[in-house]
Amino acid sequence: MDLIQANKDLISTGKKEFNVLLSQQVFGDPLISEEAMVIVVNDWINFYINYYKQKITGEQQEQDMALQELQQELNTLASPFLDKYRAFLKSHEDPNNLSPSS
């Protein structure tokens, strides 16, 4: 079963908007942990899914497929963003702030 063109267009719009959101993020102080950033990004993805869920059309199976595809696309976009954030955190680690061995 193919996605309805209207749903494809919504997925495309959602991807573009999400990409803009990610590209607008500026990393800086205060630093948040990698785990906290993953939670933030997952919250953003859930926000987009819930927003577009109201706009998706078609039979229930078509709607489910469209939402699943949107979620996969947003996760795909989020992955390099999180990689970039991990690299940012790593570049800001203090080499003199190592935990003492017990």
Side-chain angles (χ1 to χ4, degrees), residues 8-52:
K8 289 180 183 180
D9 293 344
L10 283 173
I11 291 168
S12 179
T13 300
K15 286 172 46 179
K16 288 176 189 169
E17 291 175 354
F18 190 69
N19 208 30
V20 168
L21 172 70
L22 293 178
S23 67
Q24 290 176 340
Q25 301 312 303
V26 177
F27 305 145
D29 289 330
L31 298 177
I32 65 170
S33 70
E34 177 183 341
E35 295 80 15
M37 183 59 80
V38 169
I39 290 169
V40 168
V41 171
N42 285 334
D43 285 348
W44 289 339
I45 290 172
N46 288 330
F47 174 81
Y48 274 77
I49 296 298
N50 288 326
Y51 176 78
Y52 281 100

Short mmCIF file of all heavy atoms in Angstrom, two decimals, residues 8-52:
data_model
loop_
_atom_site.label_atom_id
_atom_site.label_comp_id
_atom_site.label_asym_id
_atom_site.label_seq_id
_atom_site.Cartn_x
_atom_site.Cartn_y
_atom_site.Cartn_z
N LYS A 8 2.53 12.14 1.94
CA LYS A 8 3.93 12.30 1.52
C LYS A 8 4.36 13.75 1.65
O LYS A 8 5.46 14.05 2.09
CB LYS A 8 4.11 11.81 0.08
CG LYS A 8 4.02 10.33 -0.10
CD LYS A 8 4.21 9.96 -1.56
CE LYS A 8 4.05 8.47 -1.78
NZ LYS A 8 4.24 8.08 -3.18
N ASP A 9 3.46 14.65 1.24
CA ASP A 9 3.76 16.07 1.34
C ASP A 9 3.91 16.51 2.80
O ASP A 9 4.81 17.30 3.12
CB ASP A 9 2.67 16.91 0.66
CG ASP A 9 2.62 16.70 -0.85
OD1 ASP A 9 3.60 16.17 -1.43
OD2 ASP A 9 1.58 17.05 -1.46
N LEU A 10 3.05 15.99 3.67
CA LEU A 10 3.16 16.31 5.09
C LEU A 10 4.48 15.81 5.68
O LEU A 10 5.13 16.50 6.47
CB LEU A 10 1.99 15.72 5.87
CG LEU A 10 0.66 16.46 5.74
CD1 LEU A 10 -0.46 15.66 6.41
CD2 LEU A 10 0.75 17.85 6.36
N ILE A 11 4.86 14.60 5.30
CA ILE A 11 6.13 14.03 5.78
C ILE A 11 7.29 14.89 5.31
O ILE A 11 8.19 15.22 6.09
CB ILE A 11 6.28 12.56 5.31
CG1 ILE A 11 5.26 11.68 6.03
CG2 ILE A 11 7.70 12.06 5.54
CD1 ILE A 11 5.11 10.29 5.44
N SER A 12 7.24 15.31 4.05
CA SER A 12 8.29 16.17 3.52
C SER A 12 8.36 17.49 4.26
O SER A 12 9.44 17.97 4.63
CB SER A 12 8.04 16.40 2.03
OG SER A 12 9.02 17.26 1.49
N THR A 13 7.22 18.09 4.52
CA THR A 13 7.16 19.34 5.27
C THR A 13 7.69 19.15 6.69
O THR A 13 8.47 19.96 7.19
CB THR A 13 5.72 19.88 5.31
OG1 THR A 13 5.28 20.11 3.97
CG2 THR A 13 5.62 21.17 6.11
N GLY A 14 7.28 18.07 7.34
CA GLY A 14 7.74 17.79 8.69
C GLY A 14 9.25 17.61 8.75
O GLY A 14 9.91 18.12 9.67
N LYS A 15 9.80 16.92 7.77
CA LYS A 15 11.26 16.73 7.71
C LYS A 15 11.97 18.07 7.56
O LYS A 15 12.96 18.34 8.24
CB LYS A 15 11.63 15.81 6.55
CG LYS A 15 11.32 14.36 6.76
CD LYS A 15 11.53 13.52 5.50
CE LYS A 15 12.81 13.80 4.78
NZ LYS A 15 12.99 12.97 3.58
N LYS A 16 11.46 18.91 6.66
CA LYS A 16 12.08 20.22 6.44
C LYS A 16 12.03 21.06 7.71
O LYS A 16 13.04 21.68 8.08
CB LYS A 16 11.39 20.95 5.30
CG LYS A 16 11.69 20.38 3.94
CD LYS A 16 10.88 21.10 2.86
CE LYS A 16 11.02 20.35 1.54
NZ LYS A 16 10.06 20.85 0.54
N GLU A 17 10.88 21.09 8.36
CA GLU A 17 10.74 21.89 9.58
C GLU A 17 11.63 21.37 10.70
O GLU A 17 12.24 22.14 11.43
CB GLU A 17 9.28 21.91 10.03
CG GLU A 17 8.38 22.70 9.11
CD GLU A 17 6.91 22.62 9.49
OE1 GLU A 17 6.55 21.86 10.41
OE2 GLU A 17 6.11 23.32 8.84
N PHE A 18 11.70 20.05 10.83
CA PHE A 18 12.54 19.45 11.86
C PHE A 18 14.01 19.75 11.59
O PHE A 18 14.77 20.05 12.52
CB PHE A 18 12.28 17.94 11.93
CG PHE A 18 12.92 17.26 13.11
CD1 PHE A 18 12.46 17.49 14.39
CD2 PHE A 18 13.97 16.39 12.94
CE1 PHE A 18 13.04 16.86 15.49
CE2 PHE A 18 14.56 15.75 14.02
CZ PHE A 18 14.09 15.99 15.30
N ASN A 19 14.39 19.69 10.33
CA ASN A 19 15.77 19.99 9.96
C ASN A 19 16.12 21.44 10.29
O ASN A 19 17.23 21.72 10.74
CB ASN A 19 15.99 19.69 8.47
CG ASN A 19 17.42 19.31 8.19
OD1 ASN A 19 18.11 18.75 9.02
ND2 ASN A 19 17.87 19.63 6.99
N VAL A 20 15.18 22.34 10.07
CA VAL A 20 15.39 23.75 10.43
C VAL A 20 15.58 23.86 11.94
O VAL A 20 16.50 24.55 12.41
CB VAL A 20 14.22 24.63 9.94
CG1 VAL A 20 14.29 26.02 10.56
CG2 VAL A 20 14.22 24.71 8.42
N LEU A 21 14.73 23.19 12.70
CA LEU A 21 14.86 23.20 14.17
C LEU A 21 16.25 22.75 14.59
O LEU A 21 16.92 23.39 15.40
CB LEU A 21 13.80 22.32 14.81
CG LEU A 21 13.94 22.09 16.32
CD1 LEU A 21 13.63 23.35 17.10
CD2 LEU A 21 13.05 20.95 16.76
N LEU A 22 16.71 21.63 14.02
CA LEU A 22 18.02 21.11 14.39
C LEU A 22 19.14 22.06 13.99
O LEU A 22 20.08 22.27 14.76
CB LEU A 22 18.25 19.74 13.74
CG LEU A 22 17.35 18.60 14.22
CD1 LEU A 22 17.65 17.32 13.44
CD2 LEU A 22 17.48 18.36 15.71
N SER A 23 19.03 22.65 12.82
CA SER A 23 20.10 23.53 12.34
C SER A 23 20.16 24.84 13.13
O SER A 23 21.19 25.52 13.12
CB SER A 23 19.94 23.82 10.85
OG SER A 23 18.80 24.59 10.61
N GLN A 24 19.09 25.20 13.81
CA GLN A 24 19.07 26.44 14.60
C GLN A 24 19.68 26.27 15.99
O GLN A 24 19.87 27.26 16.69
CB GLN A 24 17.63 26.94 14.76
CG GLN A 24 17.03 27.45 13.49
CD GLN A 24 15.57 27.85 13.66
OE1 GLN A 24 14.90 27.42 14.60
NE2 GLN A 24 15.06 28.66 12.74
N GLN A 25 19.97 25.04 16.37
CA GLN A 25 20.48 24.81 17.71
C GLN A 25 21.93 25.28 17.82
O GLN A 25 22.75 24.99 16.95
CB GLN A 25 20.38 23.33 18.09
CG GLN A 25 18.96 22.80 18.05
CD GLN A 25 17.98 23.70 18.78
OE1 GLN A 25 18.14 23.98 19.95
NE2 GLN A 25 16.94 24.13 18.07
N VAL A 26 22.19 26.01 18.89
CA VAL A 26 23.53 26.50 19.16
C VAL A 26 24.00 25.83 20.44
O VAL A 26 23.34 25.94 21.48
CB VAL A 26 23.53 28.04 19.32
CG1 VAL A 26 24.92 28.54 19.68
CG2 VAL A 26 23.02 28.71 18.06
N PHE A 27 25.11 25.14 20.35
CA PHE A 27 25.64 24.47 21.52
C PHE A 27 26.48 25.47 22.31
O PHE A 27 27.27 26.21 21.75
CB PHE A 27 26.54 23.29 21.14
CG PHE A 27 25.87 22.27 20.25
CD1 PHE A 27 26.59 21.61 19.27
CD2 PHE A 27 24.53 21.96 20.38
CE1 PHE A 27 26.00 20.67 18.46
CE2 PHE A 27 23.93 21.03 19.58
CZ PHE A 27 24.67 20.38 18.61
N GLY A 28 26.30 25.47 23.61
CA GLY A 28 27.06 26.38 24.45
C GLY A 28 26.79 26.10 25.90
O GLY A 28 26.20 25.09 26.27
N ASP A 29 27.23 27.03 26.72
CA ASP A 29 27.02 26.89 28.15
C ASP A 29 25.60 27.28 28.50
O ASP A 29 25.06 28.21 27.90
CB ASP A 29 28.01 27.77 28.91
CG ASP A 29 29.44 27.22 28.82
OD1 ASP A 29 29.59 25.99 28.71
OD2 ASP A 29 30.37 28.03 28.85
N PRO A 30 24.99 26.66 29.44
CA PRO A 30 25.53 25.51 30.17
C PRO A 30 25.39 24.24 29.34
O PRO A 30 24.43 24.07 28.59
CB PRO A 30 24.65 25.44 31.42
CG PRO A 30 23.33 25.99 30.97
CD PRO A 30 23.65 27.03 29.93
N LEU A 31 26.39 23.40 29.46
CA LEU A 31 26.36 22.12 28.77
C LEU A 31 25.34 21.20 29.43
O LEU A 31 25.20 21.21 30.65
CB LEU A 31 27.74 21.45 28.81
CG LEU A 31 28.89 22.19 28.14
CD1 LEU A 31 30.19 21.43 28.34
CD2 LEU A 31 28.62 22.40 26.67
N ILE A 32 24.65 20.45 28.62
CA ILE A 32 23.78 19.41 29.17
C ILE A 32 24.36 18.07 28.76
O ILE A 32 25.10 17.98 27.77
CB ILE A 32 22.31 19.56 28.73
CG1 ILE A 32 22.15 19.35 27.22
CG2 ILE A 32 21.75 20.90 29.15
CD1 ILE A 32 20.69 19.26 26.78
N SER A 33 24.04 17.05 29.50
CA SER A 33 24.61 15.73 29.23
C SER A 33 24.09 15.19 27.90
O SER A 33 23.06 15.63 27.38
CB SER A 33 24.25 14.77 30.35
OG SER A 33 22.86 14.48 30.31
N GLU A 34 24.81 14.23 27.38
CA GLU A 34 24.38 13.55 26.16
C GLU A 34 23.00 12.92 26.36
O GLU A 34 22.13 13.00 25.49
CB GLU A 34 25.40 12.49 25.77
CG GLU A 34 25.02 11.69 24.55
CD GLU A 34 26.01 10.59 24.23
OE1 GLU A 34 27.17 10.64 24.70
OE2 GLU A 34 25.62 9.67 23.50
N GLU A 35 22.80 12.30 27.52
CA GLU A 35 21.53 11.65 27.81
C GLU A 35 20.39 12.66 27.82
O GLU A 35 19.30 12.39 27.32
CB GLU A 35 21.59 10.92 29.16
CG GLU A 35 22.56 9.75 29.19
CD GLU A 35 24.03 10.16 29.39
OE1 GLU A 35 24.31 11.33 29.78
OE2 GLU A 35 24.89 9.33 29.13
N ALA A 36 20.64 13.84 28.39
CA ALA A 36 19.61 14.88 28.43
C ALA A 36 19.30 15.37 27.02
O ALA A 36 18.13 15.62 26.68
CB ALA A 36 20.06 16.04 29.31
N MET A 37 20.31 15.50 26.17
CA MET A 37 20.07 15.94 24.79
C MET A 37 19.26 14.89 24.02
O MET A 37 18.39 15.25 23.23
CB MET A 37 21.39 16.23 24.07
CG MET A 37 21.19 16.76 22.65
SD MET A 37 20.21 18.29 22.54
CE MET A 37 21.45 19.49 22.97
N VAL A 38 19.52 13.62 24.27
CA VAL A 38 18.73 12.56 23.63
C VAL A 38 17.26 12.69 24.04
O VAL A 38 16.36 12.57 23.21
CB VAL A 38 19.29 11.16 23.98
CG1 VAL A 38 18.33 10.06 23.56
CG2 VAL A 38 20.66 10.96 23.33
N ILE A 39 17.03 12.97 25.31
CA ILE A 39 15.65 13.15 25.80
C ILE A 39 15.01 14.36 25.12
O ILE A 39 13.86 14.30 24.67
CB ILE A 39 15.63 13.30 27.34
CG1 ILE A 39 15.99 11.96 27.99
CG2 ILE A 39 14.26 13.79 27.82
CD1 ILE A 39 16.26 12.04 29.47
N VAL A 40 15.74 15.45 25.01
CA VAL A 40 15.22 16.65 24.35
C VAL A 40 14.85 16.35 22.90
O VAL A 40 13.76 16.69 22.43
CB VAL A 40 16.25 17.81 24.42
CG1 VAL A 40 15.86 18.96 23.50
CG2 VAL A 40 16.41 18.30 25.85
N VAL A 41 15.75 15.70 22.18
CA VAL A 41 15.50 15.38 20.77
C VAL A 41 14.31 14.43 20.64
O VAL A 41 13.46 14.61 19.77
CB VAL A 41 16.77 14.80 20.10
CG1 VAL A 41 16.46 14.26 18.72
CG2 VAL A 41 17.85 15.88 20.02
N ASN A 42 14.21 13.44 21.51
CA ASN A 42 13.06 12.54 21.48
C ASN A 42 11.76 13.29 21.77
O ASN A 42 10.73 12.99 21.16
CB ASN A 42 13.24 11.38 22.45
CG ASN A 42 14.23 10.36 21.95
OD1 ASN A 42 14.44 10.21 20.74
ND2 ASN A 42 14.85 9.64 22.85
N ASP A 43 11.82 14.27 22.66
CA ASP A 43 10.64 15.10 22.93
C ASP A 43 10.25 15.90 21.69
O ASP A 43 9.07 16.04 21.37
CB ASP A 43 10.88 16.04 24.11
CG ASP A 43 10.84 15.33 25.45
OD1 ASP A 43 10.41 14.16 25.51
OD2 ASP A 43 11.26 15.95 26.45
N TRP A 44 11.25 16.44 21.00
CA TRP A 44 10.97 17.18 19.76
C TRP A 44 10.31 16.26 18.73
O TRP A 44 9.33 16.64 18.09
CB TRP A 44 12.25 17.75 19.15
CG TRP A 44 12.87 18.88 19.89
CD1 TRP A 44 12.27 19.73 20.79
CD2 TRP A 44 14.23 19.30 19.81
NE1 TRP A 44 13.18 20.64 21.26
CE2 TRP A 44 14.38 20.41 20.68
CE3 TRP A 44 15.33 18.85 19.10
CZ2 TRP A 44 15.60 21.07 20.83
CZ3 TRP A 44 16.54 19.51 19.24
CH2 TRP A 44 16.67 20.61 20.11
N ILE A 45 10.86 15.05 18.58
CA ILE A 45 10.29 14.09 17.63
C ILE A 45 8.84 13.78 18.00
O ILE A 45 7.96 13.79 17.14
CB ILE A 45 11.15 12.81 17.55
CG1 ILE A 45 12.48 13.12 16.86
CG2 ILE A 45 10.40 11.69 16.82
CD1 ILE A 45 13.49 11.99 16.90
N ASN A 46 8.59 13.53 19.27
CA ASN A 46 7.22 13.24 19.72
C ASN A 46 6.29 14.43 19.47
O ASN A 46 5.13 14.24 19.10
CB ASN A 46 7.20 12.85 21.20
CG ASN A 46 7.79 11.48 21.42
OD1 ASN A 46 7.71 10.61 20.55
ND2 ASN A 46 8.39 11.28 22.57
N PHE A 47 6.80 15.63 19.66
CA PHE A 47 6.00 16.83 19.38
C PHE A 47 5.60 16.86 17.90
O PHE A 47 4.44 17.09 17.57
CB PHE A 47 6.79 18.09 19.75
CG PHE A 47 6.09 19.36 19.35
CD1 PHE A 47 5.08 19.89 20.14
CD2 PHE A 47 6.44 20.02 18.17
CE1 PHE A 47 4.43 21.06 19.76
CE2 PHE A 47 5.79 21.18 17.79
CZ PHE A 47 4.78 21.71 18.58
N TYR A 48 6.56 16.62 17.02
CA TYR A 48 6.27 16.62 15.59
C TYR A 48 5.30 15.51 15.21
O TYR A 48 4.37 15.73 14.42
CB TYR A 48 7.57 16.50 14.77
CG TYR A 48 8.24 17.82 14.53
CD1 TYR A 48 8.96 18.45 15.54
CD2 TYR A 48 8.13 18.47 13.31
CE1 TYR A 48 9.57 19.68 15.34
CE2 TYR A 48 8.73 19.70 13.09
CZ TYR A 48 9.44 20.30 14.11
OH TYR A 48 10.03 21.53 13.91
N ILE A 49 5.48 14.33 15.77
CA ILE A 49 4.59 13.20 15.49
C ILE A 49 3.17 13.57 15.92
O ILE A 49 2.21 13.37 15.16
CB ILE A 49 5.06 11.92 16.20
CG1 ILE A 49 6.42 11.45 15.67
CG2 ILE A 49 4.01 10.81 16.08
CD1 ILE A 49 6.43 11.10 14.20
N ASN A 50 3.02 14.09 17.13
CA ASN A 50 1.68 14.46 17.62
C ASN A 50 1.06 15.58 16.80
O ASN A 50 -0.15 15.57 16.55
CB ASN A 50 1.74 14.83 19.10
CG ASN A 50 1.96 13.63 19.98
OD1 ASN A 50 1.49 12.54 19.68
ND2 ASN A 50 2.69 13.81 21.06
N TYR A 51 1.87 16.53 16.38
CA TYR A 51 1.36 17.63 15.56
C TYR A 51 0.87 17.12 14.21
O TYR A 51 -0.24 17.42 13.78
CB TYR A 51 2.44 18.70 15.37
CG TYR A 51 2.01 19.81 14.45
CD1 TYR A 51 1.17 20.82 14.91
CD2 TYR A 51 2.44 19.85 13.13
CE1 TYR A 51 0.76 21.84 14.07
CE2 TYR A 51 2.03 20.88 12.28
CZ TYR A 51 1.20 21.87 12.76
OH TYR A 51 0.79 22.87 11.92
N TYR A 52 1.69 16.32 13.54
CA TYR A 52 1.33 15.83 12.21
C TYR A 52 0.29 14.72 12.25
O TYR A 52 -0.41 14.50 11.25
CB TYR A 52 2.58 15.43 11.41
CG TYR A 52 3.27 16.65 10.87
CD1 TYR A 52 4.38 17.18 11.50
CD2 TYR A 52 2.78 17.29 9.75
CE1 TYR A 52 5.00 18.32 11.02
CE2 TYR A 52 3.39 18.44 9.25
CZ TYR A 52 4.49 18.94 9.90
OH TYR A 52 5.08 20.09 9.43
#
